[in-house]
Amino acid sequence: MKKRSLQVALAALSCAVATIFLTAGIYVPFFLIAGYVFATIALMLPLSRKFYVGGFLAYAATCLLVFAIGGGVAGFYKLFPFLVFFGLLPLANSLQERFRIPRWIGMPVKIAWLDGTLCLTWLLFQGLFEVPEWAEKYIWLILLLGGAVCAVVIDLGSGRCQKIVDYYVSRADRGKRGGPPASSSDAEHTAEDIFPELGEENKNENEKKNGEDGGDTRQDRPFMREDGEGNDAKK
């Protein structure tokens, strides 16, 4: 029962936060990309507890609320990419991890998915966008190449954001239940999971430190033997 209550609370909070940021992005043009980013991160909350149904319901409710209060049909072109790609990406990433779909399969699918979203957005709403003449001439090439690069960056960034959200939701849930706080070793392992390069750096530093300590120990041994022999001679 408590687990179900937590999942519902996370889904409701996720929907509320995502709606606020996405609505702000629709009404404030320069905040649109940031609104997409923060709304996408907010939808990761229920997925941190593997509540996939709640994650989808939060996404669907967010899209409906933003459509209702974000200008309706007039602002739909700003909501469309989130509706088709960005809002579903956290759920897709979680399902990919659950079913252990390898990255070399998932990445091309996401690249094609984002490219299709951008191309469809341009086809449906090109009259609402102002682009330079030179860019309009090469618009399909720009969309395809730009979408491929953005898909790779977004996939890497969203994966790390999901791990950060998982960690802090787990800490909050453990604290609410009166469980022991996360130890420093747990925090280090979590940091290494989120940023793998930190784990490699720490490993290299530890190996270097151990090598230096081992060298010092070997250098000290002859002096210890000399002291021992001197003490025996005096006796």
Side-chain angles (χ1 to χ4, degrees), residues 85 108-121 140 142-151:
F85 178 79
V109 172
K110 292 173 186 176
I111 291 174
W113 185 12
L114 182 56
D115 282 345
T117 299
L118 295 177
C119 292
L120 186 58
T121 302
W140 299 113
I142 293 173
L143 291 177
L144 293 175
L145 294 180
V149 174
C150 289

Side-chain angles (χ1 to χ4, degrees), residues 18-20 22-23 26 61-72 79 82:
T19 300
I20 292 172
L22 196 54
T23 303
I26 288 178
T62 297
C63 292
L64 290 174
L65 289 173
V66 174
F67 179 78
I69 64 181
L79 176 64
F82 185 86

Side-chain angles (χ1 to χ4, degrees), residues 97-180:
E97 182 180 357
R98 178 183 179 183
F99 294 106
R100 298 182 179 180
I101 300 175
R103 183 178 293 272
W104 63 270
I105 294 178
M107 184 61 71
V109 172
K110 292 173 186 176
I111 291 174
W113 185 12
L114 182 56
D115 282 345
T117 299
L118 295 177
C119 292
L120 186 58
T121 302
W122 175 253
L123 283 174
L124 294 176
F125 309 108
Q126 58 181 307
L128 301 175
F129 297 103
E130 295 182 3
V131 297
E133 185 177 352
W134 67 267
E136 188 173 358
K137 184 178 180 180
Y138 302 102
I139 190 64
W140 299 113
L141 182 63
I142 293 173
L143 291 177
L144 293 175
L145 294 180
V149 174
C150 289
V152 174
V153 174
I154 290 170
D155 183 64
L156 295 175
S158 61
R160 292 191 174 185
C161 287
Q162 183 67 68
K163 290 181 179 180
I164 294 173
V165 172
D166 293 349
Y167 172 65
Y168 283 105
V169 169
S170 178
R171 285 192 61 179
D173 183 34
R174 184 165 49 242
K176 183 178 179 181
R177 290 186 284 113

